[in-house]
Amino acid sequence: MWGAWVDSLGMRSVELSGLVAVITGGASGLGLATAERLVGQGASAVLLDMPTSNGEEQAKKLGKSCAFAPTDVTSEKDVQAALALAKEKFGRVDVAVNCAGIAVALKTYNVKRNQAHTLEDFQRVINVNLIGTFNVIRLVAGEMGQNEPDQEGQRGIIINTASVAAYEGQVGQAAYSASKGGIVGMTLPIARDLAPMGIRVITIAPGKPIPSLPHLGLGGIHGQLRGEAKQQQPSSIPGHREALQVGLGRGGDRVNMKARAGL
Ligand SMILES: NC(=O)c1ccc[n+]([C@@H]2O[C@H](COP(=O)([O-])OP(=O)(O)OC[C@H]3O[C@@H](n4cnc5c(N)ncnc54)[C@H](O)[C@@H]3O)[C@@H](O)[C@H]2O)c1
């Protein structure tokens, strides 16, 4: 299944042709770029994204090897239906990439407004980013477990998306950092749970902002957050300082810029 080769730089690459992937958040940004790459290299992909997203249109653009499954990752029913679609159209699931995510930029307590971070916002971010990721993992594992193992005993791979904010969140990122820290924290136990099934589990933690998350409705306190974020110590994590500067430096839609800066 995963015929590997070593390229001219000595890097181990993986043959993607023929693999079947499900990609959450696949209608936009990182998820869509992942789908384009996989389909471009001969894999099939099902984009799992909100019914309100333009996943249908993006899947059509990618052609016959791609399909859209309207899915809220927090819903068991939706994710099961998406996996059934993947199986019906492409026969199995080898790869799951969890990219669906949302963010808010809210302080734990806003002194100027005399206002606490709403619990609803905190719960919403945890629900989509952390619980949604776990929901997909737990259900896709059953699907992958039905695959014939390759010569190395592997049946599939699950890739999750955390963020540098899991390790070094900024002002206003309590909910987002908690959600991404949760993804980091659950990676090892889940990998240990699924290893006997031949399913690998990894998590990436991007640090540099990709110009995305365009649709987020982040209310409120961005001017204030800008000032405070600028005063913080630059991170030792490569790319993070640049991320903050890029995000804070742009004009225009400052609300969304702040979200990008913190990612
Ligand atoms: N953009 C960055 O710089 C950056 C940096 C670090 C980490 N990340 C993480 O990478 C992932 C992708 O980010 P992006 O920049 O591509 O964002 P994006 O907004 O372009 O894509 C996120 C997608 O998730 C979908 N989504 C939201 N809630 C959903 C739900 N409940 N069910 C299904 N789909 C849902 C959205 O519709 C959207 O298409 C996110 O988890 C984000 O936190 C991004």
Side-chain angles (χ1 to χ4, degrees), residues 1-2 5 14-21 23 33-46 62-66 89-90 92 94-95:
M1 177 169 58
W2 313 96
W5 75 89
V14 173
E15 173 63 58
L16 300 175
S17 181
L19 295 179
V20 180
I23 303 166
T34 303
E36 288 168 348
R37 180 69 175 264
L38 287 170
V39 171
Q41 296 197 7
S44 303
V46 178
L62 285 172
K64 281 191 180 144
S65 300
C66 191
K89 276 193 94 76
F90 303 119
R92 60 180 195 282
D94 305 303
V95 181

Side-chain angles (χ1 to χ4, degrees), residues 24-31 48-50 53 71-74 98-102 128-129 161-164 176 180 205-216 260 263:
T24 75
S28 168
L30 191 58
L48 282 64
D49 210 306
M50 296 297 279
S53 73
T71 309
D72 180 337
V73 291
T74 66
N98 279 303
C99 289
I102 59 170
V128 173
N129 296 2
T161 309
S163 163
V164 70
Y176 186 73
K180 296 301 186 179
K208 210 169 176 177
I210 308 157
S212 202
L213 290 176
H215 58 286
L216 296 175
R260 289 173 204 158
L263 287 171

